[in-house]
């Protein structure tokens, strides 16, 4: 099965706080890539961070970091120092030949 | 570099009509993928083109088709439109296709409404 599961439909966080979004996936492949995309109200899909499955080290991009647990097939996104502009839908995706997306988590940053 | 562009941004059609959407990838990107986004089904893969050839196809009926030109621009066509085809259609480009790790960059989407 090629499924990506995001179990948190909605989350909220206070500005400047830290929040973690969860994602699990299913795959039979040993080499694959994982992504987090952000979709603000403008609907523009924006790449947040990527992780190569063969790399042990967790990816980091400024305030965004991931916790990649390959054996558990888990790929969570941590947003530190949350900002109002982080308010968006966040999609976890696994790339095989194409992207398989999760159902998304709607994150609201509260001032 | 300019980003992925999609035209038109908004479209209203009636049932039974056909529609063509256009996507221009980032310069140098040779792969173009199309996705349908609806509230009920989420984001679903339609197809991917690379070097004018369809590489992969999602689980959509034959009414959905596409093509890619030699300059990597791509078009998507939906014939005999149904109400359920109302959606945001997203185009994404990347340097190479397949299981490569090249990330996909998305356009702003075309909002199609079928009445």
């Amino acid at each position: 099965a090629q499924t990506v599961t995001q179990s948190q439909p909605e989350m909220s966080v206070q500005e400047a706080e830290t929040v973690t979004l969860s994602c699990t996936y299913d795959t039979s492949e040993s080499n694959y890539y994982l992504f987090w995309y952000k979709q603000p109200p403008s609907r523009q899909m924006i790449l947040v961070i990527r992780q190569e499955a063969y790399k042990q080290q967790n990816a980091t991009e400024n305030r965004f970091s991931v916790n990649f647990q390959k054996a558990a097939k888990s790929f969570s996104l941590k947003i530190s120092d949350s900002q109002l502009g982080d308010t968006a839908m966040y999609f976890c995706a696994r790339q095989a030949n194409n992207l398989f997306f999760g159902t998304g988590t709607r994150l609201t940053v509260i001032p | 570099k300019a980003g992925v562009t999609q035209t038109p941004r908004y479209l209203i059609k009636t049932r039974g009509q056909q529609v063509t959407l256009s996507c221009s990838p980032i310069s140098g990107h040779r792969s173009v993928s199309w996705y349908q986004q609806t509230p009920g089904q989420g984001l679903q893969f339609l197809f991917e083109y690379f070097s004018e050839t369809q590489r992969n196809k999602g689980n959509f009926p034959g009414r959905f088709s596409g093509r890619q030109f030699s300059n990597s621009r791509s078009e998507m066509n939906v014939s005999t439109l149904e109400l359920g085809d109302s959606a945001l259609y997203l185009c994404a480009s990347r340097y190479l296709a397949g299981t490569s790790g090249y990330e996909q960059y998305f356009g702003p989407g075309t909002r199609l409404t079928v009445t």
Side-chain angles (χ1 to χ4, degrees):
Chain A
Q2 311 248 35
T3 57
V4 178
T5 302
Q6 294 180 251
S7 58
Q8 305 150 313
E10 293 190 25
M11 294 189 73
S12 61
V13 62
Q14 291 290 137
E15 195 175 4
E17 296 295 308
T18 296
V19 64
T20 299
L21 280 55
S22 301
C23 172
T24 58
Y25 59 92
D26 194 10
T27 183
S28 56
E29 299 168 358
S30 58
N31 190 26
Y32 49 91
Y33 300 83
L34 298 165
F35 302 88
W36 279 96
Y37 282 89
K38 164 186 174 181
Q39 189 177 43
S42 68
R43 307 296 271 172
Q44 174 76 55
M45 194 75 78
I46 300 165
L47 176 66
V48 175
I49 199 165
R50 61 172 270 169
Q51 173 79 44
E52 293 92 337
Y54 62 87
K55 285 189 176 180
Q56 301 271 6
Q57 187 173 5
N58 290 324
T60 299
E61 285 288 342
N62 301 312
R63 299 183 294 109
F64 300 88
S65 61
V66 300
N67 183 4
F68 174 49
Q69 303 288 328
K70 189 172 183 177
K73 295 180 181 173
S74 169
F75 181 59
S76 61
L77 174 70
K78 185 172 82 171
I79 306 174
S80 304
D81 184 27
S82 296
Q83 300 175 359
L84 296 179
D86 295 334
T87 292
M89 282 288 287
Y90 286 82
F91 292 95
C92 174
R94 185 183 72 77
Q95 183 155 285
N97 283 319
N98 48 271
L99 284 170
F100 291 92
F101 286 92
T103 52
T105 296
R106 184 177 303 280
L107 176 68
T108 302
V109 179
I110 302 166
Chain B
K1 281 185 181 177
V4 179
T5 58
Q6 292 186 246
T7 57
R9 293 293 309 279
Y10 303 92
L11 207 48
I12 300 175
K13 291 285 188 178
T14 56
R15 276 182 299 175
Q17 287 186 313
Q18 76 164 19
V19 67
T20 299
L21 311 181
S22 181
C23 172
S24 292
I26 290 172
S27 177
H29 286 192
R30 295 163 61 191
S31 164
V32 173
S33 296
W34 288 89
Y35 295 85
Q36 182 197 64
Q37 186 176 23
T38 60
Q41 300 297 317
L43 280 152
Q44 293 185 287
F45 170 73
L46 280 154
F47 30 65
E48 179 180 27
Y49 285 87
F50 179 75
S51 293
E52 302 178 65
T53 302
Q54 188 180 87
R55 285 289 303 264
N56 291 294
K57 190 177 190 304
N59 189 26
F60 278 82
R63 300 185 297 107
F64 291 82
S65 63
R67 60 176 175 169
Q68 187 180 33
F69 302 94
S70 58
N71 62 357
S72 295
R73 189 178 70 86
S74 177
E75 287 182 348
M76 188 191 105
N77 184 274
V78 188
S79 62
T80 319
L81 284 165
E82 300 177 358
L83 294 179
D85 297 333
S86 294
L88 179 69
Y89 289 89
L90 293 167
C91 164
S93 77
R94 56 177 169 166
Y95 181 60
L96 290 176
T99 55
S100 66
Y102 292 101
E103 53 266 32
Q104 298 191 35
Y105 293 89
F106 285 80
T110 294
R111 169 73 66 185
L112 172 64
T113 302
V114 182
T115 63

